[in-house]
Amino acid sequence: MIGIGALGCLFGARLGAVAPVTLVGRWAAQREALQRHGLAVEAAGGELQQYSPKVEEEAENAPAEIALVLLKSHQRREAARRAAAVLGASGGLALTLQNGLGHREHLASALGQERVAVGVTSEGARVIDPGRVLHAGDGVTRIAPPPGGDSPLLSAFIDCLRKAGFTTELVPRIDELLWGKLAINAAINPLTAVLGVPNGELAKNPELAQWCGRVAEEVAAVARLAGVEIPYRQAGDAAQAALAVCRGTASNRSSMLQDIEAGRPTEIDAICGAVVRAAADAGAAAPLNGELLARVRALSAGAAASPTSSLIISPAVSPSASPSNLAPSAFGRWLDQQLEHRRIQR
């Protein structure tokens, strides 16, 4: 298990009941808490389960046949290095369930594409304190095999996931699901981080709901330009899906908001940045995602939250080419108004 954050601990602890598992991570406070006191997993209803996982700092100390990668997206180079150390020069399989795009390529550069499987999960978890994780809600984990088809090793691992209580499906293709999840993440995480609000606020406020939906629809449009048919086939489907997640996780503070508040790097480049790059590759633009990309970068750097247009859209691409068909300045002005309104209220 590469990564000892909330999901890494949740998957590692429960899988440890059905197979030998080692958690690998460098977060010192978390690792020390796990080694001294074990892991406490709190269910949404308050029930508490205690686990005693094996934990190592260095990947070289944890050889394995499967490397489940659950590091943050900004650590993907580190993830590839650690997966290679865990699996060795030949054999074994890496499975990434990370947010955003580009993780498959980084892992494949270290392992070869035939040793990399990709999945998405909607399991919800967050760290309450070092050594204590809240399992906020059950989800579904969907996994696609490496290029070349069936993998007996992956099939055996999926059986382990199911025995550990994770609803898991083997799917033939993953790009549609990756982009579908990307639309939700791009619509919710950056907006909550920039405005400092829980997820439910985006659905409760009509203006927030409108912009949240527009961001999701922009991602869906870029996916289609990239030749990917995401699960949201009709206009408005992506927006409705994003708002449904907002309502279903109303009290949650997104991981990106938590990262900003804690001064940690965010996953913005693998989420909104990936959308902006894909749009540019297709000769278009994604101004709403570009605006959010620039603002979250500015927040991470401690700068004023008013980006320049050069961060939003390539000068070679006309704003009218944007799938959202909205000038980036309109969204930027609205965000500035929201931030000023919230400043005055405080």
Side-chain angles (χ1 to χ4, degrees), residues 207 330 332-343:
E207 280 190 288
R333 285 195 301 271
W334 177 82
L335 283 171
D336 287 337
Q337 291 168 0
Q338 289 293 309
L339 290 167
E340 179 63 16
H341 177 66
R342 291 169 192 279
R343 186 190 66 79

Side-chain angles (χ1 to χ4, degrees), residues 37-341:
H37 310 295
L39 174 68
V41 177
E42 181 180 333
E47 303 89 352
L48 200 65
Q49 285 187 291
Q50 192 72 29
Y51 299 88
S52 300
K54 181 182 177 182
V55 188
E56 293 284 353
E57 180 178 2
E58 298 299 334
E60 290 79 1
N61 297 331
E65 292 183 291
I66 290 275
L68 179 56
V69 182
L70 282 163
L71 284 175
K72 290 281 192 176
S73 63
H74 64 269
Q75 298 171 295
R76 52 190 171 192
R77 288 185 178 85
E78 176 72 3
R81 188 196 69 77
R82 290 189 160 219
V86 164
L87 297 173
S90 62
L93 183 73
L95 167 62
T96 171
L97 297 179
Q98 295 161 283
N99 285 331
L101 303 181
H103 305 296
R104 171 174 42 199
E105 291 75 12
H106 273 81
L107 287 169
S109 69
L111 299 168
Q113 63 178 0
E114 72 282 356
R115 298 174 68 196
V116 179
V118 183
V120 297
T121 185
S122 57
E123 293 288 341
R126 65 180 176 87
V127 174
I128 302 171
D129 290 302
R132 189 180 184 96
V133 167
L134 173 66
H135 186 194
D138 293 316
V140 179
T141 300
R142 296 180 173 91
I143 301 167
D150 294 339
S151 163
L153 194 54
L154 181 60
S155 297
F157 183 63
I158 288 174
D159 286 341
C160 288
L161 286 168
R162 290 168 176 161
K163 289 175 183 176
F166 295 106
T167 301
T168 308
E169 299 175 2
L170 182 65
V171 298
R173 298 177 305 278
I174 202 66
D175 284 347
E176 293 91 339
L177 298 175
L178 285 174
W179 274 91
K181 186 174 182 181
L182 187 66
I184 305 300
N185 284 338
I188 297 173
N189 289 8
L191 266 177
T192 57
V194 169
L195 298 174
V197 297
N199 294 358
E201 188 69 20
L202 300 184
K204 186 169 65 175
N205 180 303
E207 280 190 288
L208 282 173
Q210 183 180 54
W211 284 110
C212 175
R214 285 176 173 174
V215 174
E217 289 296 320
E218 183 176 83
V219 178
V222 172
R224 294 184 193 104
L225 288 177
V228 178
E229 281 297 327
I230 66 174
Y232 315 120
R233 306 291 191 220
Q234 303 298 320
D237 285 356
Q240 290 304 311
L243 292 172
V245 171
C246 289
R247 288 187 286 268
T249 60
S251 63
N252 287 8
R253 298 176 75 78
S254 73
S255 59
M256 193 171 291
L257 173 56
Q258 293 180 59
D259 287 340
I260 290 293
E261 291 174 335
R264 296 188 296 259
T266 73
E267 297 187 299
I268 192 66
D269 284 287
I271 298 175
C272 293
V275 177
V276 170
R277 291 188 294 273
D281 288 344
L288 304 186
N289 279 270
E291 181 81 32
L292 291 170
L293 171 66
R295 285 179 182 260
V296 174
R297 281 178 174 173
L299 284 174
S300 293
S306 182
T308 63
S309 60
S310 63
L311 289 172
I312 299 169
I313 184 169
S314 166
V317 180
S318 165
S320 64
S322 165
S324 67
N325 203 29
L326 291 165
S329 58
F331 186 36
R333 285 195 301 271
W334 177 82
L335 283 171
D336 287 337
Q337 291 168 0
Q338 289 293 309
L339 290 167
E340 179 63 16
H341 177 66

